[in-house]
Amino acid sequence: MPKTCPTPELVIFDCDGVLVDSEPASNQAMADNLARHGLVLTVEQSMAHFVGGTMAGVMAKARSLGADLPEDWIAEIYAETYARLEQGVPLTPGIPDLLARLDAHRIPVCVASNGSEEKMRITLGQNGLWDRFHPQAMFSAHSLGVAKPEPGLFLAAASHFGVQARDCLVIEDSSSGVIAAVRAGMRCLGFAPHGSGNRLAALGAEVFSDMAEVPALLSI
């Protein structure tokens, strides 16, 4: 992926871990649930195994690691995760300023997530962003039937805004999201606030650790 490119015509944000700092709460709910089903993981191990995946993929992975999960487990974990998120999740530091900067430069933004619209209503609704993105600028794998690491979610967003893939920029924090962006032919910034980001860089992302860095990376 190129290290520099023209200012994008569309910025596509992932939701969990990018717009909102929801991964710790979600993975605490995951770890608590899996412990009841025979698989003991720390929150950090849960994040390493599951961040960015579909829930069907998480279920298969957890079973491969030894969890004894019932057939209705996906409904169970969604209910527990949503209840945990409703207790409160913050915006990622720097997101309000970054969105304001993009607005000032008249650069459209949207959100594309493997999560459901219901989940985004909980997390974004707490933080004043639900009305901004829903429904015209919100793309959910649950609604579209295509999930990262396949590129279709990002390509659907680009098509909706009438922007070529090469003129889009994706901001992601997961391997599956970076792979999807690369497959879509889009420049990708990999958000790694708590680590080196080597995994994301190896997949083709330009790694950064603070949202305040993004304007310079976009030449705005």
Side-chain angles (χ1 to χ4, degrees):
M1 298 291 287
K3 292 301 179 185
T4 59
C5 78
T7 301
E9 295 180 16
L10 174 66
V11 175
I12 306 173
F13 288 90
D14 178 43
C15 186
D16 296 296
V18 174
L19 286 174
V20 289
D21 188 17
S22 54
E23 295 293 10
S26 293
N27 282 275
Q28 183 65 64
M30 180 71 69
D32 291 347
N33 176 282
L34 292 178
R36 299 199 311 272
H37 293 296
L39 176 61
V40 177
L41 298 173
T42 65
V43 172
E44 292 75 20
Q45 287 171 327
S46 176
M47 291 177 71
H49 283 304
F50 305 130
V51 165
T54 63
M55 203 57 78
V58 170
M59 184 176 184
K61 176 72 170 180
R63 281 177 164 170
S64 76
L65 293 171
D68 182 16
L69 303 182
E71 290 306 311
D72 64 350
W73 178 79
I74 290 178
E76 174 184 298
I77 189 60
Y78 274 138
E80 293 178 16
T81 300
Y82 293 171
R84 183 65 63 96
L85 293 174
E86 285 172 346
Q87 296 175 16
V89 293
L91 283 177
T92 298
I95 281 295
D97 289 343
L98 175 55
L99 291 174
R101 187 75 166 266
L102 292 167
D103 286 347
H105 286 267
R106 300 182 183 277
I107 298 173
V109 300
C110 67
V111 55
S113 173
N114 273 358
S116 66
E117 286 196 12
E118 181 180 1
K119 184 179 183 183
M120 287 189 276
R121 178 187 57 77
I122 294 169
T123 58
L124 300 180
Q126 296 173 22
N127 293 291
L129 291 184
W130 172 257
D131 289 339
R132 175 182 183 129
F133 289 108
H134 183 267
Q136 296 88 355
M138 180 174 288
F139 302 90
S140 164
H142 287 225
S143 301
L144 295 179
V146 61
K148 309 166 195 174
E150 296 305 315
L153 202 59
F154 293 147
L155 293 173
S159 177
H160 176 82
F161 282 89
V163 176
Q164 295 292 315
R166 64 176 179 272
D167 295 320
C168 296
L169 176 110
V170 173
I171 302 181
E172 270 286 351
D173 71 324
S174 71
S175 295
S176 62
V178 173
I179 292 169
V182 171
R183 287 176 173 174
M186 298 177 181
R187 183 186 180 198
C188 184
L189 301 185
F191 183 46
H194 304 300
S196 66
N198 289 341
R199 174 173 48 90
L200 301 183
L203 294 170
E206 301 166 47
V207 174
F208 71 104
S209 61
D210 189 317
M211 289 296 169
E213 300 173 53
V214 174
L217 293 169
L218 306 191
S219 301
I220 61 173

